[in-house]
Amino acid sequence: MSAGTLNSWQIVAVLGAVQGVIVAMALAAKRPRRTPHLLLAAAVLAFACHLATVVYYSADLVPRAPRLFGVTQPVPFLFGP
């Protein structure tokens, strides 16, 4: 597989990450704004970013976008709390 091509599982993961971002935006925009909604939105966004990062590394997209390398390294620390 050449650099930059996505297989079917990576496409499913990207779609899941996009869906996570949309759900996080919907939770953050929900009125009235409550702390549990914002915390859930932050958790869903963290999972979506991590999922997108997994696709970024597994599809070997690092040479195409080297500036993104390591940006989401601290994101897994948000999963525990």
Side-chain angles (χ1 to χ4, degrees):
M1 184 179 338
S2 66
T5 60
L6 299 177
N7 63 23
S8 59
W9 290 109
Q10 292 166 340
I11 291 171
V12 169
V14 167
L15 291 174
V18 170
Q19 181 181 8
V21 170
I22 292 169
V23 168
M25 289 183 346
L27 283 169
K30 186 174 171 116
R31 299 284 182 204
R33 282 197 176 162
R34 294 186 180 184
T35 305
H37 293 170
L38 295 176
L39 289 174
L40 184 60
V44 169
L45 188 62
F47 280 116
C49 287
H50 183 65
L51 189 58
T53 302
V54 168
V55 173
Y56 173 73
Y57 290 122
S58 67
D60 197 27
L61 295 174
V62 177
R64 285 192 167 190
R67 291 183 182 180
L68 296 177
F69 181 77
V71 170
T72 59
Q73 290 294 336
V75 169
F77 291 114
L78 296 174
F79 299 157

